[in-house]
Amino acid sequence: MALDRIEFETLRDLPGKVISSDIVFNTKRQTSPLLTTDDLKISNGSNIDARMVIQYNPEVGSKTINIHVQGLGPVCRLDVDGPAHRPCGRSHKHSLQSERCPDRNLPDNVIDRPDLAGRSLLEVFQEFCTIANITHTGTFVPPLEGEAE
């Protein structure tokens, strides 16, 4: 399976995408202190098997939302308060630009998002859902932010 930029934009702009599961964060010994969600299925009218994973590092306050398509790889990622991606700062958005991007971890045309710096995990999630036309119908159970900071 491959996805070009036009197909990515069609998927991104597709109305009616829904995450119906509850969002709960878990810790795994091998990635501690990182808190992550399970693969959250994004239901959509095109029946593309798209999934969301959210990561939060309470020690540094970084937040990452990753969208990947089964059989293809990552197609979109939002990093907030994490490592800088030069020339962008610590809060930025990656998205698929060409069919090769998933294999290369979305390195091209990264967009700076300084407006999201310092926002809570819930606010970042809500902003991501707004720009990606995703409705969440479950419960969002945020981890206690800032405890380890």
Side-chain angles (χ1 to χ4, degrees):
M1 175 182 204
L3 200 67
D4 65 24
R5 179 68 188 180
I6 293 171
E7 292 166 322
F8 164 75
E9 289 175 355
T10 300
L11 175 61
R12 179 197 63 204
D13 298 339
L14 184 69
K17 293 189 297 285
V18 175
I19 296 173
S20 57
S21 58
D22 291 342
I23 296 175
V24 178
F25 291 82
N26 303 296
T27 59
K28 294 181 179 144
R29 190 173 3 156
Q30 62 270 34
T31 59
S32 182
L34 202 62
L35 304 171
T36 62
T37 63
D38 293 328
D39 259 358
L40 304 168
K41 183 167 179 47
I42 304 170
S43 300
N44 61 81
S46 294
N47 293 319
I48 294 174
D49 191 357
R51 307 291 176 118
M52 176 186 285
V53 174
I54 307 170
Q55 298 175 324
Y56 172 66
N57 184 331
E59 288 188 356
V60 296
S62 63
K63 305 143 192 97
T64 299
I65 299 176
N66 235 321
I67 303 293
H68 60 95
V69 172
Q70 295 296 101
L72 177 65
V75 296
C76 185
R77 179 172 64 254
L78 180 64
D79 292 310
V80 176
D81 300 325
H85 186 286
R86 302 287 175 226
C88 295
R90 294 182 60 220
S91 298
H92 52 271
K93 185 175 178 301
H94 300 253
S95 60
L96 184 137
Q97 303 296 314
S98 73
E99 292 180 9
R100 292 186 48 228
C101 284
D103 292 335
R104 298 171 48 235
N105 203 20
L106 310 173
D108 302 325
N109 295 336
V110 177
I111 298 171
D112 212 8
R113 289 299 309 261
D115 57 306
L116 297 176
R119 297 256 187 110
S120 73
L121 184 57
L122 178 57
E123 289 172 315
V124 170
F125 171 74
Q126 289 170 333
E127 173 65 15
F128 187 92
C129 287
T130 297
I131 60 178
N133 293 309
I134 298 171
T135 300
H136 178 232
T137 59
T139 301
F140 186 96
V141 182
L144 296 175
E145 294 187 56
E147 262 191 1
E149 290 182 23

